[in-house]
Amino acid sequence: IEAQRDEIEAQRDVVFKQKEQIERSHLEISASMDYAMRLQDTILPSPALLEEKFSGHMIFYRPKQKVSGDFYWWTQKGPHVILVVADCTGHGVPGAFMSLLGAGLLKEIVNTEGITQPGRILDRLRDEVIAALCQKGSVGEQKDGMEMAVIRIDPGTLMCQYAGANSPLYQLRRSKFNIHKPNLMPISWYEEMQPFDAKDIQLEAGDQLYLFSDGYADQFGGESRKKFKYKAFRQVLAEHADLSMPRQQQVLSDTIRQWQGNNEQTDDMVIIGIRI
C-alpha cells in the first residue's frame, strides 16, 4: 500500500510539474502574441488623413486572432489620396508576416518610388512579392500572396482610379450599387499574369466607397450555419446608407455578431468606408 501511495504521489508531482510548464508556455506565447499585435498595429495608418479629406469614414477591423492577415493602408502623394485594403494568405502569425511585408512594400512603391497609379502599384507589388517569396511557379510551390483593392482619389476633382487583384470596389450612390470588378489575379505568381487594369471613376459628392476583404461575407452563422454572403453584405450597406459612417460601422458589427452567434470567427475581417 505504501509503495502504491508513493507511486501515486510521484505521478501527481509529475502532473503538477507538467501543468506548471504548460501554464508558463501559455503565458509566454500569450505575451509574445500581445507584443506582435502591438507591432502590427503600428503599421496601420491613423484615420487623420481620412478625417481631413473626406466627409465621413469608417474602419471595421476584426482579426480572427490577435494578429491579422488583413490590413489597410493609405497615404497622400501630391494631390492624391491612395487607399488600400488587402487580404493576405492565411491568418494569425503567418498572415501577419505577409501583412508586414505588404505594408512595407507599399510604402516603398508609393512614398519612395512615387508610383500612384493603382494598376502600376499592383504590378510593382506583385513583382516584389514574387521576388521576396522566391516564387517560380514550380509544381507544389506554396501559393502565398495577397488579394487587394487600391484606389487613388483627387479630393479636388473627385476623380477616382481603381485597380483590384481579386478584390472589388463597391460604389454606393443614392442607395444603388456600382460594383467595380477586379482582375482575377492575385498578388503572387500566377499562370497567366497580365498587367492590372485601372478604371477611372468620376465621383459625386455623397458617394460612398467600400473596400473590404472576404472575411465578413464568408462568416458562417445563422440557423443553417451558412455564409453571410455578399448579397446580404450589400443589403446591410444599402439599407443604412443614410446613417453616418460611424453608425454604419456599428450596424455592421452588430449584424455580424448576431449572425455569427456561437460559431467561431471564420477569417480576419476588414471593411474601409469613405463618404465623398
Side-chain angles (χ1 to χ4, degrees), residues 77 90 151 195 237 275:
K77 195 70 175 175
I151 59 174
L237 294 175
R275 176 176 282 135

Side-chain angles (χ1 to χ4, degrees), residues 115-150:
I115 297 173
T116 64
Q117 200 262 13
R120 290 188 60 208
I121 291 173
L122 293 180
D123 290 339
R124 282 285 294 116
L125 183 63
R126 179 174 59 189
D127 291 343
E128 292 298 326
V129 167
I130 290 172
L133 300 180
C134 301
Q135 295 178 339
K136 297 180 173 32
S138 305
V139 176
E141 184 178 76
Q142 194 77 12
K143 299 292 185 180
D144 294 318
M146 308 169 195
E147 297 180 345
M148 182 177 292
V150 183

Side-chain angles (χ1 to χ4, degrees), residues 41-99:
D41 285 346
T42 64
I43 75 167
L44 299 176
S46 164
L49 180 63
L50 305 189
E51 293 171 356
E52 177 186 351
K53 298 298 181 181
F54 306 109
S55 63
H57 75 277
M58 72 168 178
I59 304 170
F60 179 91
Y61 179 64
R62 184 181 296 172
K64 174 179 167 64
Q65 300 173 0
K66 290 185 177 182
V67 290
S68 176
D70 289 359
F71 73 95
Y72 53 89
W73 185 87
W74 48 74
T75 191
Q76 182 171 4
K77 195 70 175 175
H80 299 117
V81 177
I82 293 92
L83 292 88
V84 176
V85 163
D87 183 351
C88 301
T89 304
H91 48 75
V93 174
F97 272 113
M98 287 294 295
S99 73

